[in-house]
Amino acid sequence: MHKTSITLDTLNEWRKNTMVEHLGIEITAFGEGYICGKMPVDHRTHQPMGLLHGGASVALAETLASIGANIHVDPTTKACVGLEINANHIRSVREGWVYGKATALHMGKTTQVWETKITTEAGDTVCISRMTVAVIDKK
């Protein structure tokens, strides 16, 4: 992890005035090679049938992977952006919260690969996602 004074409060401040805030996503923990968060399953994240929208799950996965990647590079010279993401939707959810844990599988100089597992409050798997992140130079 890059040696800066990043805190949970700092990471949750990054949500302000973004889709992340609108969906109710919160960062709950982070450390070397991982980051965790949660998202409500409610009117903001439902699809028309009243289930958690697959796109909301992908938004949670991409949020965690992107933030996780960015806290592992020097923010004065580098930025991390999504290059590719895929997701397998395993189980439906109608209400409550879902929890995501993104784990770094590869942290190279120009790419990172993160896997995110999203679960229910009871620990049942909802979605598994893998994201490739490009590490780019800041201009």
Side-chain angles (χ1 to χ4, degrees):
M1 198 160 52
H2 188 72
K3 294 176 179 36
T4 62
S5 58
I6 294 175
T7 66
L8 277 178
D9 288 339
T10 302
L11 297 180
N12 282 303
E13 273 295 311
W14 293 355
R15 304 172 323 124
K16 299 272 185 191
N17 301 312
T18 70
M19 182 178 75
V20 178
E21 181 180 45
H22 176 73
L23 293 178
I25 296 170
E26 299 174 31
I27 306 303
T28 58
F30 70 98
E32 188 65 41
Y34 78 92
I35 186 166
C36 301
K38 66 181 186 174
M39 179 177 68
V41 181
D42 62 17
H43 69 281
R44 296 169 290 180
T45 57
H46 279 160
Q47 43 94 307
M49 300 297 288
L51 302 171
L52 176 62
H53 194 294
S57 293
V58 174
L60 174 58
E62 183 154 356
T63 297
L64 294 176
S66 292
I67 293 173
N70 275 288
I71 64 176
H72 285 84
V73 299
D74 179 351
T76 62
T77 61
K78 301 289 183 186
C80 296
V81 296
L83 191 60
E84 187 274 339
I85 190 166
N86 68 59
N88 294 102
H89 305 289
I90 310 296
R91 172 177 275 103
S92 61
V93 182
R94 291 191 177 275
E95 62 187 7
W97 290 84
V98 289
Y99 299 85
K101 181 175 184 179
T103 305
L105 302 178
H106 164 74
M107 283 200 266
K109 290 182 181 181
T110 59
T111 61
Q112 294 184 23
V113 178
W114 287 74
E115 182 175 75
T116 302
K117 183 176 180 185
I118 300 173
T119 60
T120 64
E121 293 172 283
D124 297 319
T125 301
V126 173
C127 178
I128 298 171
S129 175
R130 184 172 287 180
M131 182 169 153
T132 303
V133 177
V135 180
I136 61 173
D137 293 323
K138 282 189 169 179
K139 296 185 181 202

